[in-house]
C-alpha cells in the first residue's frame, strides 16, 4: 500500500509541527502516560539545548545518508489536546543510511488513525531525505502494537524487556563464594573512580565498542567518544564510583554500571559487557553483584535492568540473581525504497 502524502491527512485530528516551548508540557504528559516518569517538560527543553539548530543531511561517497536532521510532529484535537507525538531523526554517529524514529498515541485515541498519520509522516520524511533504513520501537504491552507496524512493512529486530529485583530480600553473602573464585583467577574488581580519569574512560569506551558488537540488544554503532561519554556518565544520573570494572593486570575486561532513576529507591543497572575471551568465568555476574551490593548500601529497594530476549547468557545471569521479567519493547526496522543494499 503506498504511503499517503501529508496533504492527504485528515483535518481533525490535526497533524502539525511541534511548537517550542509551548508543546513541551503536553508532550511530556503524553510520553509519561506511555512510560511513567520517563521525562518532563524541563528535560525535553534541556535535551533540545544540546541538539544542533540547523540540519546537515547529505549523501556520502556510497550514496548513503549521513549528518544530522530531524522532524517532530504532534496530532491535536480541535480543542488543542495533543493526542499523538512522533519524531524522525538522524544523528551523525548513527550508521550511514539509517534514520531512527519514535511515535506514540494517547490510549483514549488509539485505533482512530492517529498512529497511521504519525507513521506516514515519519516514513515520508525519512524517504524524502534519502534514508535507506528506518528504525523505531513499539511497546510490547500495548495490544496489537507489533502487528500494527508489521502490516506497514516493519520487521521485528529485537525484543528488549525490563527485569526487576527486590533488593530488600537479596542476600549478597550467598554469592561470596563466586566472588572469591573469580578473584583467585587474577581478576580484580574496582570502580572507575579508582582509575586515572582520561585514560580509563578511553579504555572503557574501547571495551564498550568491542563488547557491543555481539550484543543482541545493540543496534548500530556506538557513538564517538565524546557523545558516548555524555550519555554514559551523565552527572545527574551516575557517578564514577557507580561504574564497576573488572581488570586483569592493566587491561579492562568487563564493566557494569548503576544509574539513578526518577523514582526514589529505584536504581537501574546499565549495560553489562565482558570481552569474549573472558566470558564463562563468572565475571559478568560478579560485576552485577558489586552493583547490587552498592545499590542496597545506597538505600535502593528495587533494582531494574533490561535484556534482549535472545541474549541467553545475560538472561541466565539475571534470572539466577532473582531478576523477574516485566514489560519491554520491540525494536523494529523497515527497508525504505532508497535502499540499494
Amino acid at each position: 500500500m503506498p504511503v499517503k502524502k501529508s496533504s492527504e491527512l485528515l483535518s481533525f485530528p490535526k497533524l502539525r509541527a511541534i511548537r517550542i516551548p509551548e508543546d513541551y508540557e503536553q508532550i511530556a504528559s503524553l510520553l509519561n502516560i506511555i512510560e511513567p516518569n520517563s521525562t518532563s517538560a524541563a528535560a525535553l527543553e534541556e535535551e533540545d539545548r544540546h541538539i544542533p539548530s540547523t540540519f546537515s543531511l547529505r549523501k556520502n561517497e556510497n550514496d548513503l545518508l549521513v549528518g544530522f536532521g530531524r522532524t517532530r510532529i504532534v496530532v491535536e484535537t480541535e480543542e488543542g489536546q495533543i493526542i499523538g507525538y512522533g519524531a524522525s531523526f538522524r544523528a551523525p554517529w548513527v550508521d550511514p543510511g539509517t534514520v531512527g524514529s519514535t511515535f506514540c498515541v494517547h490510549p483514549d485515541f488509539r485505533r482512530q488513525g492517529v498512529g497511521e498519520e504519525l507513521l506516514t509522516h515519519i516514513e515520508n520524511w525519512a524517504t524524502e531525505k534519502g534514508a535507506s533504513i528506518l528504525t523505531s520501537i513499539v511497546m510490547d504491552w500495548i495490544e496489537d502494537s507489533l502487528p500494527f507496524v508489521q502490516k506497514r512493512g516493519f520487521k521485528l529486530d529485537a525484543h528488549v524487556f525490563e527485569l526487576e529485583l527486590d533488593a530488600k530480600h537479596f542476600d549478597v553473602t550467598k554469592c561470596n563464594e563466586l566472588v572469591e573464585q573469580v578473584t583467585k583467577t587474577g581478576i580484580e574488581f574496582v570502580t572507575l573512580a579508582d582509575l586515572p580519569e582520561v585514560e580509563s574512560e578511553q579504555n572503557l569506551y574501547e571495551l564498550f565498542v568491542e563488547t557491543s558488537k555481539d550484543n543482541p540488544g545493540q543496534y548500530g554503532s556506538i557513538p564517538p567518544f565524546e557523545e558516548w561519554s555524555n550519555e554514559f556518565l551523565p552527572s545527574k544520573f551516575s557517578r564514577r564510583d557507580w561504574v564497576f570494572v573488572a581488570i586483569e593486570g592493566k587491561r579492562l575486561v568487563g564493566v557494569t554500571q548503576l544509574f539513578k532513576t526518577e523514582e526514589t529507591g529505584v536504581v537501574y543497572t546499565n549495560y553489562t559487557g565482558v570481552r569474549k575471551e573472558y566470558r564463562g568465568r563468572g565475571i559478568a555476574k560478579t560485576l552485577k553483584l558489586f552493583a547490587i551490593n552498592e545499590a542496597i548500601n545506597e538505600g535502593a529497594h528495587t533494582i531494574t535492568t533490561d535484556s534482549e530476549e535472545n541474549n541467553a547468557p545475560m538472561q541466565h545471569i539475571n534470572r539466577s540473581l532473582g531478576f523477574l521479567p516485566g514489560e519491554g519493547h520491540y525494536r523494529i526496522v523497515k527497508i525504505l525504497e532508497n535502499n540499494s543494499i
Side-chain angles (χ1 to χ4, degrees):
M1 184 176 67
V3 176
K4 296 188 294 183
K5 299 300 181 183
S6 298
S7 60
E8 297 174 24
L9 298 175
L10 299 175
S11 56
F12 283 102
K14 176 184 177 183
L15 186 146
R16 62 167 174 80
I18 70 166
R19 292 193 289 260
I20 294 176
E22 296 92 332
D23 289 340
Y24 281 140
E25 287 289 349
Q26 283 207 64
I27 292 174
S29 295
L30 177 61
L31 294 174
N32 284 328
I33 291 175
I34 307 302
E35 191 173 355
N37 302 308
S38 61
T39 191
S40 65
L44 294 176
E45 186 172 9
E46 177 65 19
E47 181 180 312
D48 276 349
R49 291 196 188 101
H50 297 282
I51 294 178
S53 58
T54 57
F55 294 170
S56 60
L57 293 173
R58 60 181 177 82
K59 292 293 189 74
N60 67 6
E61 64 278 7
N62 297 316
D63 199 35
L64 294 173
L65 188 67
V66 295
F68 167 77
R70 66 173 174 172
T71 180
R72 292 182 293 174
I73 68 279
V74 296
V75 174
E76 67 178 356
T77 65
E78 191 168 6
E79 295 76 23
Q81 179 189 357
I82 292 178
I83 59 174
Y85 169 73
S88 190
F89 42 83
R90 221 216 95 76
W93 55 83
V94 175
D95 289 349
T98 300
V99 164
S101 65
T102 185
F103 64 98
C104 61
V105 179
H106 191 289
D108 294 343
F109 294 89
R110 291 180 187 146
R111 298 182 178 84
Q112 298 181 36
V114 177
E116 183 76 47
E117 292 189 19
L118 291 167
L119 201 52
T120 293
H121 176 90
I122 287 169
E123 184 174 339
N124 281 345
W125 183 88
T127 301
E128 290 164 4
K129 297 302 179 184
S132 309
I133 299 173
L134 179 63
T135 68
S136 191
I137 64 170
V138 291
M139 301 304 177
D140 64 3
W141 47 268
I142 295 179
E143 187 179 359
D144 296 331
S145 62
L146 187 58
F148 171 79
V149 292
Q150 288 176 324
K151 289 178 182 177
R152 288 151 184 83
F154 283 88
K155 304 295 183 183
L156 174 63
D157 182 67
H159 181 202
V160 180
F161 53 87
E162 185 175 271
L163 297 101
E164 188 173 287
L165 175 69
D166 182 356
K168 300 187 301 295
H169 300 100
F170 187 84
D171 185 1
V172 178
T173 62
K174 290 183 178 180
C175 304
N176 285 343
E177 184 177 348
L178 172 64
V179 176
E180 291 177 7
Q181 289 176 352
V182 176
T183 53
K184 284 180 180 178
T185 66
I187 302 297
E188 182 183 2
F189 294 91
V190 298
T191 73
L192 196 59
D194 300 319
L195 303 174
E197 185 166 338
V198 176
E199 179 183 354
S200 61
E201 288 190 16
Q202 184 63 50
N203 290 338
L204 195 59
Y205 173 71
E206 294 170 1
L207 176 63
F208 263 72
V209 172
E210 179 181 329
T211 56
S212 68
K213 291 176 182 177
D214 52 1
N215 174 14
Q218 175 71 30
Y219 183 83
S221 304
I222 298 292
F225 177 75
E226 184 175 349
E227 286 78 12
W228 169 86
S229 183
N230 290 334
E231 293 180 11
F232 180 73
L233 286 173
S235 58
K236 182 178 179 182
F237 295 106
S238 194
R239 312 189 308 240
R240 290 177 64 84
D241 64 335
W242 273 19
V243 181
F244 303 88
V245 184
I247 301 177
E248 185 178 57
K250 293 185 178 181
R251 190 184 189 201
L252 276 60
V253 301
V255 62
T256 196
Q257 177 190 26
L258 293 176
F259 265 39
K260 296 178 183 177
T261 71
E262 298 291 344
E263 298 181 67
T264 303
V266 179
V267 176
Y268 172 69
T269 308
N270 194 28
Y271 181 84
T272 301
V274 175
R275 294 186 192 274
K276 186 175 294 185
E277 63 269 32
Y278 288 86
R279 293 172 191 165
R281 295 168 52 176
I283 295 173
K285 187 172 182 178
T286 303
L287 283 165
K288 298 206 78 163
L289 284 169
F290 277 103
I292 291 169
N293 187 55
E294 176 64 17
I296 292 172
N297 290 339
E298 291 276 346
H301 57 73
T302 301
I303 303 171
T304 65
T305 189
D306 53 44
S307 181
E308 209 282 325
E309 184 176 26
N310 295 315
N311 191 343
M314 191 53 64
Q315 291 286 4
H316 175 73
I317 290 171
N318 287 328
R319 303 299 177 87
S320 69
L321 290 171
F323 283 89
L324 299 178
E327 297 174 342
H329 66 265
Y330 299 110
R331 189 171 66 217
I332 54 175
V333 177
K334 183 173 184 177
I335 305 300
L336 301 179
E337 62 185 40
N338 299 310
N339 195 298
S340 58
I341 300 175

